Amino acid sequence: MSIIIIRSLILYILVVFSVRLMGKRQLGELQPSELVITILVSNIATLPLEDTDIPVIVGVTPILSLVCFEVIVSWLILRMPKLRKVISGSPKIIISNGKINRNVMRELRLSVDDLMTALRGRDIFDISEVQFAIVETTGSISVMKKPENDVPTREDLNITAENTDPPQVIVSDGKVMQIALKSLGFNEQFVKNISKKSGIAVDDIFIMTADGTANCFIAPKKAGAPIEIQGGQNNDKN
């Protein structure tokens, strides 16, 4: 039993390392070559687990070889557009100027139900709202609405807004997240000051988020309403 546990741990670490090396993508975002490598790696990893007579190295070697091959192919694809088109394919336009290209749908073996499902996944339930749609090489569909059906932007409404990055978690379950804090340009004293202002000790904070303008949101560990602090204390950044 201990041998199986050790084998599982070794292969688990190796597969996680392999996936991280290939990049962060969701399954639906994988290119064909990446999906093939992922399937092969998962299948190979199970062999030494199912049969303890098979040496672990028999599973380790092909996994590392496949990952190295994928990294090399990715490097070549970046530098050779023609090879990229052969391996990954090219995007296909299925709706242009509001008109559906049935030939492309047949080429991709895409049914009307498939198209409508993809559009609903983009919060579009009326196909007449679509100006342009393209099937990406990953199989996902990118959609652009007609101007009259699209959501107006602040620019369209002549509303000005400050450009800021989204809030980051700076306290998680009572622990100060130093990396996030540093990226915002704050220090630990900032957290203490906000904690004091809210009346909640840092150890009693479940989640605290902050943005670059020092707007903070605090969710306490104990039952109670969350607290929002606008503008924080900008003079405590440094």
Side-chain angles (χ1 to χ4, degrees):
M1 178 63 87
S2 60
I3 295 177
I4 295 177
I5 294 175
I6 294 172
R7 282 171 170 248
S8 301
L9 182 61
I10 292 173
L11 291 170
Y12 170 77
I13 294 173
L14 180 61
V15 172
V16 170
F17 170 77
S18 300
V19 173
R20 287 293 302 274
L21 189 62
M22 288 191 294
K24 294 183 178 180
R25 290 178 184 262
Q26 297 180 5
L27 186 60
E29 297 175 345
L30 294 176
Q31 296 289 347
S33 60
E34 295 171 333
L35 180 60
V36 170
I37 295 295
T38 303
I39 294 172
L40 289 175
V41 166
S42 62
N43 287 335
I44 293 170
T46 61
L47 296 178
L49 297 179
E50 294 175 348
D51 189 351
T52 54
D53 293 332
I54 299 177
V56 176
I57 192 67
V58 172
V60 171
T61 303
I63 289 176
L64 292 177
S65 299
L66 286 171
V67 172
C68 290
F69 177 73
E70 169 59 24
V71 171
I72 293 171
V73 170
S74 299
W75 183 84
L76 290 173
I77 284 176
L78 288 174
R79 287 155 180 79
M80 301 173 64
K82 290 184 178 179
L83 180 62
R84 179 168 63 246
K85 187 174 181 179
V86 171
I87 294 179
S88 300
S90 57
K92 301 289 184 181
I93 299 172
I94 56 172
I95 299 178
S96 179
N97 198 26
K99 298 179 181 178
I100 301 172
N101 191 326
R102 295 177 61 190
N103 293 329
V104 173
M105 288 187 64
R106 280 194 292 267
E107 180 185 343
L108 297 175
R109 297 186 295 279
L110 197 69
S111 68
V112 173
D113 288 339
D114 293 332
L115 176 60
M116 295 306 298
T117 299
L119 293 179
R120 288 194 293 270
R122 296 290 183 270
D123 296 326
I124 298 174
F125 292 81
D126 186 351
I127 197 171
S128 66
E129 297 179 1
V130 179
Q131 171 70 23
F132 183 87
I134 185 170
V135 179
E136 307 292 356
T137 56
T138 58
S140 62
I141 296 181
S142 301
V143 180
M144 184 182 78
K145 288 185 177 182
K146 293 178 180 177
E148 62 268 24
N149 298 118
D150 205 0
V151 178
T153 64
R154 286 191 175 96
E155 184 179 2
D156 296 329
L157 301 175
N158 293 321
I159 299 175
T160 58
E162 186 178 356
N163 292 326
T164 59
D165 290 338
Q168 298 187 48
V169 176
I170 59 175
V171 177
S172 176
D173 201 13
K175 182 180 179 182
V176 178
M177 313 304 290
Q178 297 291 347
I179 295 178
L181 201 60
K182 185 177 180 181
S183 70
L184 290 170
F186 298 141
N187 55 26
E188 209 160 336
Q189 185 61 42
F190 170 81
V191 176
K192 292 179 182 178
N193 291 341
I194 295 297
S195 171
K196 183 178 180 180
K197 188 174 182 179
S198 66
I200 304 175
V202 176
D203 291 340
D204 294 328
I205 295 175
F206 181 53
I207 295 175
M208 180 194 290
T209 64
D211 61 18
T213 59
N215 293 323
C216 299
F217 171 88
I218 301 174
K221 289 183 180 180
K222 297 179 181 179
I227 299 173
E228 294 186 28
I229 299 178
Q230 299 296 324
Q233 306 207 6
N234 291 309
N235 57 343
D236 295 319
K237 273 192 172 187
N238 299 311

